[in-house]
Amino acid sequence: MDDGAPINVGSLLNGDDPIEEASEDLLQRADLAEAFAAEIHNTAARYGAVFALTGRWGSGKTSLLNLTASALESFDDVQVVKFNPWFFSGTDQLMQFFFDELAGQLRDGRTRKDKLKTASRAVAERLGNYASALSPLKFIPGAGALLDGVSALSEGTSKLLGDEQTSVHQQRAEITALLANLPGRIVVFVDDIDRLSQQEIRDLFRLVRLTGSFPNVVYVLCFDRSVVESALTDGAVEGSAYLEKIVKISMEVPPLPTQALSPVIASGLAESLDGIDAGPLDEKRWPDIFVQLILPMFSTIRDVKRYLASVPLAVRSRHAEVSLVDILALEALRVRYPAAYELLPPAADLLTGTSSIGQRNTEQTPREKAFADEFIQLLGGQAKSVIQLLFPAADRLFGGSAYGSDWISTWERDRRVACGNVLGIYLHRQLPAGRAPVWYVDYAVGTIGDEAALTEALEQVPDPLLDDVLKRLVPHLREVSEDQVLPSATALMRQLPRIQLGPTGMFSPRGEWAVLGPVITLLRTLDGEPADRAVTSLFHSIAHLYGKVFLLDLIGGHSNEPGLVSEETERSLRQDLFAQICAASPEDLARERMLLRTVVVATADTDSPSAAKWLANSEVVARLMESAVTSTHSQTMGSVAVRTEARLVWDSLVSVFGGDAGLAEAVVSLRRSLDEGAIESTEELTTALALYEKYSAGWRPEF
């Protein structure tokens, strides 16, 4: 096959079937088959000849054998016969089946030369009788001959066949004479010898030894040399020596060079993935993965076919949630080194766990060392490539670099199995609870910079999955252009009403950070006057007061860190917030979330409104009380149980109502409204009032 010729990919995807003709040749072995066929055609065969085509399983022996047979069939003076040894069972059947098959194929054979065709049919008739004569005869194990002694053979055969039958020796002589005058030669191909049992291999080679001296009959035997030599070794007789006595010329299937397999695998992957939603191919990582990891794992076309056959299911079952590059690499590992692949699930935390600066360059734990040692033992030099290219966080276990937790979001963005969440999806082939399908993220990413489109994309995400989608947007927002910041941040802040606010777990960030995290990522890409303009516009676009409070928290300076905007801009926005809360109607305030915190932030460093403003409306007081309830989580050392305790932001409540007396008066008014049915009670309000009684009596939580 010429270097520039297209690859017949269909032959790659037909399972483990060998090729039959040169048009299917993927390994550029047609020329080798032509040379082998020419040698078989030209070799002297006055007393027959035996050729051997050897190679280990999966090396492409049968395909090369078929190409050779196809090349020989183009000669007018060659009759090709193919014998399948799998069709017989035991010594008793072998002799008759062989000659019956030889006779049958010669009788039905098609040749372009009538002379050879006629002669072959004559030989076929003789062979049919010869097979019948030999059918009851058996081999003597190890003797390599038929029943010992000419007299015994003649006597036994005559008794069986009767006086009218020609003796076996005479029939053999007649066949020999016919074959000697044959205007060409018969080439008998025998494949899959190495898949027979040990005794069957021995029987077959004794048959070849017995019949290999027929003139103009050439055997081409195909087998794995190590398997056959082992089967033929018997006591003092070495299998290799036995083969040397039988085989005249031997050819080993050449090993496959990497440059030959590279286009085969690449084209096969393209064809096997055609029509499958595999997700994008990481063009930056693919060359290294392909050349350094996948290619070195393959040396036979059979293994390539097994790999290509398994790829579609491996990709489909991950639903584009995992990087295509990683799936292809891990599938190669699974097919070629299943024992090493089986080490991955129990070591998932070792493969994806990042380390802090203080943890780097520390000694390995016994578990880490045991994993690294076994992985290297199973993969050898390949182990390092697998770890570096797929699981960089684990490189430290193999003497390489350490990676910090800041890499996790990047790996997750790229859907790499280096991220624990993605590796879990790869291994279990399902999304964990709360994980959004990747197409929601992709859709949102594609609309970044377009306020209306991003808003629409996020509105299509179900509420339980919104938190996950927003968090997974963060890595995509770090490199946006300046003009994309404001529209994207505006669309994001619109999602606050859908988010659970406040604590979400013992070690989890507050719920609002699902929105605030992406927004702060966007705003940090700006500086100076552009930041002031964007934040000011964003502030005025937010419909709810608590959203404005969150934004002010984001942009304000902390400790020695300057804020995201100038002090003048921040002061102006806080004044606007104070004005808006003073102007808000009680009905608007009652609809606000986190009302207590909003009031505290809005009235800080200002002349706060009088308590009468809050006392005047029981709904407002109720919302203030409810939003004063917070929760803390604690865990006893050695226990997995997490205890949650409700608490009251007492000092803020007292401050807003102008002191303990003002708060007490507000609570009395609130209880009266509840008793009168003016407002409805809620579980949150009941909890707040119960906590108020404890706090007003002097109780405070212990820290």
Side-chain angles (χ1 to χ4, degrees):
M1 183 174 67
D2 296 335
D3 292 342
I7 292 177
N8 183 359
V9 178
S11 62
L12 272 177
L13 307 180
N14 61 358
D16 196 31
D17 297 338
I19 65 173
E20 297 289 342
E21 53 189 35
S23 63
E24 300 174 303
D25 180 26
L26 303 176
L27 305 178
Q28 305 183 41
R29 286 176 171 171
D31 290 344
L32 179 60
E34 293 279 356
F36 192 38
E39 186 67 24
I40 295 169
H41 175 259
N42 296 329
T43 193
R46 181 180 178 184
Y47 300 105
V50 180
F51 285 74
L53 178 62
T54 63
R56 61 190 182 90
W57 286 345
S59 61
K61 297 189 303 294
T62 300
S63 293
L64 183 54
L65 196 72
N66 290 342
L67 292 177
T68 302
S70 179
L72 281 169
E73 286 172 345
S74 65
F75 291 103
D76 292 339
D77 57 349
V78 173
Q79 175 67 51
V80 172
V81 175
K82 295 183 178 180
F83 176 64
N84 191 333
W86 280 24
F87 290 162
F88 80 89
S89 177
T91 302
D92 292 341
Q93 295 184 13
L94 174 59
M95 182 70 76
Q96 181 165 358
F97 178 76
F98 174 76
F99 283 111
D100 282 349
E101 184 70 12
L102 184 60
Q105 291 195 41
L106 289 176
R107 187 180 298 113
D108 300 332
R110 298 178 181 178
T111 60
R112 290 177 294 175
K113 259 194 173 182
D114 291 338
K115 192 174 182 181
L116 179 58
K117 182 177 181 180
T118 302
S120 297
R121 287 184 174 178
V123 171
E125 295 302 324
R126 295 288 185 179
L127 286 173
N129 294 332
Y130 190 57
S132 298
L134 290 173
S135 61
L137 304 181
K138 298 182 179 181
F139 294 110
I140 298 177
L146 291 173
L147 289 173
D148 194 16
V150 175
S151 60
L153 176 60
S154 301
E155 181 181 354
T157 306
S158 296
K159 287 181 180 179
L160 180 70
L161 300 177
D163 296 336
E164 296 181 359
Q165 295 289 346
T166 307
S167 71
V168 173
H169 283 296
Q170 186 175 346
Q171 290 187 48
R172 180 183 177 89
E174 291 175 356
I175 292 173
T176 299
L178 282 173
L179 289 170
N181 295 319
L182 196 69
R185 62 186 55 197
I186 299 169
V187 181
V188 182
F189 287 88
V190 187
D191 192 12
D192 288 334
I193 299 173
D194 46 22
R195 299 194 182 197
L196 301 174
S197 69
Q198 185 180 71
Q199 185 58 51
E200 288 170 338
I201 291 175
R202 292 180 177 183
D203 289 345
L204 183 64
F205 272 87
R206 287 167 186 156
L207 171 63
V208 172
R209 185 175 182 184
L210 284 170
T211 60
S213 59
F214 276 136
N216 290 319
V217 175
V218 178
Y219 287 91
V220 182
L221 311 179
C222 189
F223 55 85
D224 183 322
R225 179 178 291 275
S226 63
V227 174
V228 169
E229 286 182 353
S230 176
L232 294 178
T233 298
D234 185 11
V237 179
E238 291 291 335
S240 58
Y242 193 93
L243 276 179
E244 289 177 1
K245 294 180 179 180
I246 297 176
V247 176
K248 177 180 181 180
I249 298 175
S250 177
M251 184 178 77
E252 182 83 12
V253 177
L256 290 175
T258 301
Q259 59 268 29
L261 280 181
S262 178
V264 171
I265 297 176
S267 299
L269 286 174
E271 180 67 20
S272 64
L273 293 174
D274 185 37
I276 298 177
D277 180 16
L281 181 73
D282 190 334
E283 299 288 351
K284 292 182 179 179
R285 295 180 60 225
W286 176 240
D288 288 333
I289 291 285
F290 184 68
V291 174
Q292 298 182 44
L293 198 156
I294 295 178
L295 271 182
M297 290 188 180
F298 294 94
S299 58
T300 71
I301 198 67
R302 174 172 295 163
D303 287 335
V304 170
K305 287 186 174 184
R306 288 175 54 230
Y307 171 58
L308 294 177
S310 69
V311 161
L313 176 59
V315 174
R316 280 194 180 98
S317 61
R318 273 81 184 195
H319 306 290
E321 299 288 339
V322 182
S323 168
L324 176 59
V325 168
D326 286 6
I327 295 175
L328 296 179
L330 286 172
E331 190 62 14
L333 180 68
R334 188 191 68 81
V335 170
R336 295 295 294 120
Y337 300 97
Y341 180 86
E342 289 175 1
L343 294 180
L344 303 184
D349 59 325
L350 302 181
L351 295 168
T352 60
T354 55
S355 59
S356 64
I357 295 177
Q359 293 175 318
R360 298 178 185 179
N361 300 321
T362 59
E363 292 185 5
Q364 293 182 6
T365 66
R367 178 171 171 245
E368 290 172 338
K369 187 176 187 306
F371 168 75
D373 290 346
E374 188 172 3
F375 204 64
I376 291 174
Q377 181 181 359
L378 293 171
L379 285 177
Q382 281 285 90
K384 191 73 171 176
S385 296
V386 171
I387 295 300
Q388 288 181 333
L389 295 173
L390 297 179
F391 304 106
D395 196 26
R396 60 186 177 84
L397 306 182
F398 296 80
S401 304
Y403 287 77
S405 59
D406 52 316
W407 281 90
I408 296 176
S409 62
T410 300
W411 292 333
E412 184 166 28
R413 177 197 65 188
D414 298 336
R415 308 176 201 177
R416 294 182 57 178
V417 292
C419 169
N421 290 335
V422 179
L423 179 59
I425 295 171
Y426 172 85
L427 293 174
H428 304 300
R429 305 196 189 203
Q430 62 182 11
L431 295 177
R435 179 81 174 187
V438 72
W439 74 267
Y440 282 123
V441 180
D442 288 344
Y443 184 20
V445 169
T447 61
I448 290 174
D450 186 327
E451 180 183 337
L454 180 55
T455 300
E456 180 181 357
L458 294 176
E459 286 175 351
Q460 292 189 21
V461 179
D463 286 355
L465 303 179
L466 181 61
D467 182 275
D468 179 62
V469 171
L470 293 175
K471 290 176 181 176
R472 289 160 64 186
L473 278 182
V474 171
H476 299 274
L477 300 174
R478 291 177 178 146
E479 299 179 358
V480 297
S481 60
E482 182 179 315
D483 60 338
Q484 292 179 310
V485 172
L486 179 58
S488 300
T490 303
L492 288 168
M493 291 298 287
R494 286 205 183 102
Q495 308 309 311
L496 274 174
R498 302 173 58 192
I499 295 294
Q500 175 188 341
L501 304 181
T504 57
M506 184 169 181
F507 300 108
S508 302
R510 295 176 63 88
E512 56 266 24
W513 274 97
V515 169
L516 302 183
V519 171
I520 191 63
T521 299
L522 285 167
L523 295 179
R524 282 175 177 164
T525 64
L526 302 177
D527 192 18
E529 194 173 319
D532 286 354
R533 289 198 303 269
V535 168
T536 300
S537 297
L538 180 60
F539 179 89
H540 291 298
S541 71
I542 298 173
H544 303 282
L545 294 175
Y546 70 91
K548 297 177 187 290
V549 170
F550 284 145
L551 180 60
L552 290 175
D553 285 344
L554 286 181
I555 64 171
H558 302 281
S559 301
N560 296 326
E561 294 184 10
L564 294 180
V565 296
S566 64
E567 293 182 1
E568 181 181 352
T569 297
E570 181 181 357
R571 184 166 48 253
S572 174
L573 295 178
R574 290 189 180 278
Q575 291 172 352
D576 284 347
L577 176 63
F578 177 73
Q580 290 180 37
I581 200 169
C582 289
S585 67
E587 292 76 17
D588 289 338
L589 291 176
R591 287 192 292 267
E592 284 287 334
R593 302 172 75 186
M594 302 185 72
L595 181 58
L596 178 62
R597 183 162 181 261
T598 299
V599 172
V600 169
V601 172
T603 59
D605 302 324
T606 62
D607 294 330
S608 60
S610 65
K613 178 178 178 64
W614 316 119
L615 292 171
N617 188 285
S618 296
E619 287 283 0
V620 173
V621 174
R623 300 295 85 77
L624 285 168
M625 293 296 297
E626 289 173 350
S627 59
V629 178
T630 186
S631 60
T632 61
H633 305 280
S634 60
Q635 190 173 17
T636 304
M637 184 174 296
S639 172
V640 297
V642 177
R643 184 179 63 182
T644 301
E645 182 180 13
R647 295 182 179 180
L648 208 60
V649 188
W650 180 258
D651 291 340
S652 295
L653 272 177
V654 171
S655 173
V656 165
F657 286 97
D660 291 353
L663 176 57
E665 184 180 352
V667 170
V668 169
S669 177
L670 175 60
R671 290 187 184 281
R672 186 184 307 114
S673 296
L674 287 170
D675 292 340
E676 294 173 353
I679 63 172
E680 294 183 4
S681 180
T682 64
E683 183 179 348
E684 293 81 4
L685 183 56
T686 300
T687 300
L689 290 174
L691 285 171
Y692 169 79
E693 295 299 331
K694 292 175 63 176
Y695 276 76
S696 61
W699 178 87
R700 296 294 184 271
E702 295 181 1
F703 295 96

